[in-house]
Amino acid sequence: MDPASIRAHDDARTASRALATEAVHAGRDDLARQGLHAPPIDLSTTYPSYDSRAEAARIDAFATDGAEPVGPPVYGRLGNPTVARFETALARLEGTEAAVAFASGMAALSAVLLARASTGLRHVVAVRPLYGCSDHLLTAGLLGTEVTWTDPAGISDALRPDTGLVMVESPANPTLAELDLRALAHACGSVPLLADNTFATPVLQRPAEHGARLVLHSATKYLGGHGDVLAGVVACDEEFARRLRQVRFATGGVLHPLAGYLLLRGLSTLPVRVRAASANAAELARRLTADPRVARVRYPRLGGAMIAFEAHGDPHEVIARVRLITPAVSLGSVDTLIQHPASISHRIVDTEDRRGAGVSDRLLRLSVGLEDVEDLWADLDRALGEGAGGPAPARHRETVG
């Protein structure tokens, strides 16, 4: 079935299904009548057509408005049926009209910036902290954009006639600071609000319901969920999706069909994984808060599987001593990962900007997985060391909000 037909078939079903049901069935509703149970993987890069006039007309139509071609696929860079299934499913979970997938989260963000810049709207208003590479992309102006950094209260004053986008991340990477998305969307006026929802996922938060026009995911993280796929996706209205598809076609930042298949499979267990990992994280955050070796713990009011904390001891020594937990960049996998943002994910951000956004040199970021919580705590307990730094003179847990 072609991408447009897959989307139309899914849109025909009732809107009353729960998120857990959508996670399992969205993007797959047409399979049974095709005699299939598992989604097929279409690895074709090109597709035969004996009607070149009709093919030319379809390509012209796409070039004009970016709508998905009706009928058989045309070429892998224009669209792929397997990837389309993932896009349909993610849009259903986020509550948007459409979603457009890319080869990585940074490719997805780049496409958004290019889409806005192509209409002369090169100015971006952004709130720190963001993921380090997102911060760098904006600050360095690599795509011809200009950024104004502000706090949430300053968004309205920072807007200009050429502002094409307001970008935020909530909960933020890596401090887990949370923002009032509804208030921010109101402050944006007619300027689209882009909310990076990678940490929360649609299981915990649907930014479009609070006024965000664009919802960004590094799908590499929770959506894939197993550390074996690199991808990005933007959930949005169909009007913006059409422009993103045109940018994707022109720049070639396409998602491989096998990655689309793995992401669709990952979505089916997303609610279960996020809720189980979140329960582990909440318990670990509680224990870390009570531990005299830990100076500060940050855990979102929203919940989730991410923890940020500062130990009294050397953070690099904590990372060096873990054995069950994996010291690695990235997050959102079934296994638990730990990293030092100032050295890795946010190293590319200017030191003063990084510290000003709350990313201290002592901060550790923990992505909690699905292991038994007692085993995870035993590993953290060992990694924190015996009396590392002595009893805390003052410690607290910040429920970030």
Side-chain angles (χ1 to χ4, degrees):
M1 185 175 286
D2 65 88
S5 298
I6 293 171
R7 193 177 309 279
H9 189 282
D10 260 26
D11 288 346
R13 59 85 172 134
T14 64
S16 60
R17 298 199 307 205
L19 184 134
T21 304
E22 289 280 47
V24 173
H25 289 280
R28 307 167 180 84
D29 283 337
D30 64 309
L31 293 179
R33 58 175 39 89
Q34 293 188 60
L36 300 173
H37 185 237
I41 306 174
D42 188 333
L43 295 174
S44 298
T45 57
T46 192
Y47 299 86
S49 174
Y50 292 95
D51 189 343
S52 57
R53 292 185 182 87
E55 201 78 335
R58 293 204 298 153
I59 294 173
D60 286 347
F62 176 81
T64 299
D65 64 10
E68 292 177 310
V70 176
V74 178
Y75 182 57
R77 187 154 46 85
L78 195 150
N80 172 272
T82 307
V83 172
R85 291 183 181 279
F86 163 67
E87 293 172 329
T88 296
L90 193 276
R92 295 301 319 173
L93 292 182
E94 283 289 4
T96 59
E97 292 177 339
V100 184
F102 295 85
S104 70
M106 292 308 301
L109 176 57
S110 296
V112 172
L113 296 176
L114 288 171
R116 299 308 280 163
S118 68
T119 62
L121 301 174
R122 298 181 177 276
H123 180 240
V124 177
V125 175
V127 176
R128 282 189 170 115
L130 298 175
Y131 168 54
C133 287
S134 298
D135 188 308
H136 176 68
L137 181 64
L138 295 176
T139 302
L142 295 174
L143 298 178
T145 55
E146 178 187 349
V147 63
T148 297
W149 295 100
T150 185
D151 58 27
I155 286 178
S156 293
D157 292 338
L159 298 178
R160 306 187 327 204
D162 64 338
T163 302
L165 189 71
V166 175
M167 181 173 181
V168 301
E169 185 173 359
S170 181
N173 185 353
T175 66
L176 304 178
E178 293 175 276
L179 302 174
D180 184 339
L181 295 179
R182 191 176 299 279
L184 295 185
H186 179 74
C188 291
S190 61
V191 177
L193 173 65
L194 182 152
D196 188 326
N197 202 34
T198 298
F199 276 21
T201 81
V203 177
L204 301 178
Q205 171 180 269
R206 306 209 315 176
E209 294 179 348
H210 302 288
R213 186 177 177 189
L214 306 166
V215 182
L216 174 69
H217 285 274
S218 173
T220 306
K221 312 305 193 295
Y222 288 104
L223 303 189
H226 293 76
D228 56 7
V229 59
L230 197 68
V233 64
V234 179
C236 56
D237 56 65
E238 176 61 22
E239 179 185 356
F240 208 105
R242 292 183 178 200
R243 188 61 180 153
L244 290 178
R245 293 183 195 114
Q246 291 178 315
V247 173
R248 181 177 63 182
F249 177 74
T251 60
V254 296
L255 184 66
H256 192 275
L258 181 57
Y261 171 83
L262 291 172
L263 288 167
L264 184 63
R265 187 174 68 172
L267 289 185
S268 64
T269 60
L270 179 66
V272 176
R273 287 187 286 104
V274 168
R275 289 167 182 149
S278 297
N280 277 350
E283 175 60 19
L284 291 178
R286 185 189 68 79
R287 297 188 189 191
L288 287 168
T289 301
D291 197 304
R293 297 166 296 180
V294 177
R296 174 176 295 176
V297 178
R298 300 175 183 178
Y299 187 66
R301 297 178 188 276
L302 191 67
M306 301 298 299
I307 303 172
F309 69 97
E310 299 178 16
H312 285 292
D314 185 342
H316 300 284
E317 289 299 317
V318 175
I319 287 177
R321 286 194 288 258
V322 294
R323 292 296 177 266
L324 176 65
I325 298 168
T326 302
V329 72
S330 199
L331 57 105
S333 184
V334 291
D335 60 322
T336 301
L337 308 178
I338 191 170
Q339 67 117 327
H340 182 243
S343 296
I344 306 179
S345 63
H346 289 70
R347 186 69 176 179
I348 202 168
V349 179
D350 177 80
T351 302
E352 292 307 312
D353 291 336
R354 185 173 69 231
R355 291 172 179 168
V359 187
S360 76
D361 293 341
R362 304 185 69 83
L363 189 71
L364 290 168
R365 192 189 73 187
L366 189 69
S367 170
V368 182
L370 302 181
E371 301 93 338
D372 187 279
V373 72
E374 297 299 335
D375 291 328
L376 290 174
W377 177 247
D379 199 39
L380 276 175
D381 182 41
R382 179 172 51 251
L384 288 168
E386 291 295 330
R395 66 183 188 276
H396 64 281
R397 167 174 165 178
E398 295 181 8
T399 303
V400 195

